[in-house]
Amino acid sequence: MSTYVAPDLTSLGLAQLTSLAGRGALVTGGARGIGAAIATRLAEAGARVVIADRDGAEERAAALSAGRDHRVTGITMDIADEESVRAGVASAAEGGSLDVLVNNAAILDPTGDPLGASSDHLRRILDVNVVGTFQVTREVASRMAPGGSVVNVVSTSGLRVSKGTMAYAASKHAVTGLTRSLALELSDRGIRVTGVAPGIVSTPGVAEVIDDMVAFGYGNDRPPLQPFGRQGLPDDIARVVYFLCTDLASWVSGQVIGVESGRLEVLA
Ligand SMILES: NC(=O)c1ccc[n+]([C@@H]2O[C@H](COP(=O)([O-])OP(=O)(O)OC[C@H]3O[C@@H](n4cnc5c(N)ncnc54)[C@H](O)[C@@H]3O)[C@@H](O)[C@H]2O)c1
């Protein structure tokens, strides 16, 4: 029996349920791609947003705040470096409560033939994508009040596999495990832990690796990479993350929701 009792929100209107006013949100990897789109939507909903990235956080925060009422700041943080995470989260918490965490930062480096891969390749990807996600969550969730929300940006590679991406798939399956495990562990504290599993989305990170991924066979065993007539856009993912951050989703935890136009779940 949980010691946390969720409030009954039935009497709240949609304006209150969709607002993040008065809440603080930390978005890792928010300087570009999907993370930047998430930071934009959370700021639009009234949250005080802190972008944490190893590169370009302050520049992106300044761009998102310029000419708008948005409150966005940027801090330099490497999620794979424990000291950097401790210092970064402590500094983010000085600005006010942290009620929302979006673990978005990750690296995608195709493996190609697993039998030719080095152990260091696997270690490097697990260090950022899994250990990094864990240590940011530990530092933020230990400061979170009941009602807090942690959203992990997983991947369809955290639910299914494709050729050429063994290390990434192993890391994202581990993040699915973290999501489910932490949802259970943190439920007594009234903290929800959820995930989204994007399909292919046009971002700078994907542009850097997609040719290699396709050459290694990625997607060959699946329906076309462009269902619905186009690739996914960062904001397609950000809108679902936003939903999971709000009280609209107060009865959702432990789920990893596919945001991939049905390519894997329906068409495969
Ligand atoms: N784009 C896609 O097709 C796709 C599909 C499924 C899942 N995802 C996931 O979405 C998330 C964002 O992907 P994207 O395509 O926007 O990537 P991207 O490479 O365009 O952006 C990632 C951001 O994370 C930052 N980052 C990387 N390592 C970091 C570290 N150690 N510490 C702090 N910041 C770090 C980068 O500096 C960058 O700003 C990732 O978790 C990725 O696995 C992306």
Side-chain angles (χ1 to χ4, degrees):
M1 182 74 174
S2 174
T3 49
Y4 168 72
V5 180
D8 177 355
L9 306 180
T10 312
S11 64
L12 296 189
L14 279 175
Q16 271 173 292
L17 290 169
T18 55
S19 171
L20 294 175
R23 300 195 196 180
L26 183 77
V27 181
T28 68
R32 72 180 200 182
I34 293 172
I38 292 168
T40 305
R41 286 293 181 188
L42 300 189
E44 185 189 347
R48 175 179 45 78
V49 177
V50 182
I51 289 174
D53 203 300
R54 63 181 177 187
D55 288 314
E58 286 178 17
E59 293 87 334
R60 174 62 70 174
L64 290 185
S65 311
R68 298 197 190 92
D69 214 8
H70 295 173
R71 291 191 304 155
V72 187
T73 53
I75 55 173
T76 301
M77 184 167 101
D78 178 352
I79 65 165
D81 176 335
E82 195 162 21
E83 273 321 300
S84 171
V85 170
R86 284 216 172 96
V89 172
S91 129
E94 278 168 17
S97 63
L98 293 177
D99 310 286
V100 167
L101 166 64
V102 181
N103 283 309
N104 165 80
I107 49 173
L108 169 50
D109 184 7
T111 301
D113 175 5
L115 302 187
S118 70
S119 305
D120 276 349
H121 163 73
L122 180 61
R123 234 177 248 122
R124 196 171 63 83
I125 291 179
L126 295 178
D127 226 29
V128 177
N129 297 5
V130 185
V131 180
T133 296
F134 161 69
Q135 51 201 17
V136 177
T137 306
R138 184 189 60 203
E139 296 305 311
V140 175
S142 59
R143 291 170 161 87
M144 258 181 185
S149 170
V150 177
V151 183
N152 294 327
V153 180
V154 192
S155 168
T156 48
S157 295
L159 304 170
R160 302 280 188 276
V161 293
S162 264
K163 282 180 92 67
T165 55
M166 181 206 72
Y168 182 73
S171 77
K172 291 296 185 173
H173 273 70
V175 178
T176 298
L178 279 182
T179 306
R180 293 187 174 141
S181 219
L182 287 168
L184 177 66
E185 301 281 1
L186 300 181
S187 61
D188 274 354
R189 299 172 74 113
I191 296 173
R192 299 183 296 104
V193 185
T194 54
V196 292
I200 286 280
V201 178
S202 306
T203 65
V206 160
E208 285 161 18
V209 296
I210 190 71
D211 289 348
D212 281 348
M213 284 168 62
V214 170
F216 291 143
Y218 179 87
N220 287 352
D221 53 346
R222 302 281 184 221
L225 285 167
Q226 299 214 38
F228 286 2
R230 63 164 172 82
Q231 279 190 359
L233 298 171
D235 189 59
D236 293 327
I237 312 306
R239 294 191 304 275
V240 180
V241 171
Y242 158 66
F243 159 73
L244 290 170
C245 292
T246 67
D247 289 340
L248 285 171
S250 67
W251 206 246
V252 183
S253 195
Q255 297 293 317
V256 176
I257 299 177
V259 190
E260 37 80 315
S261 70
R263 181 171 161 261
L264 293 185
E265 296 300 338
V266 180
L267 300 176

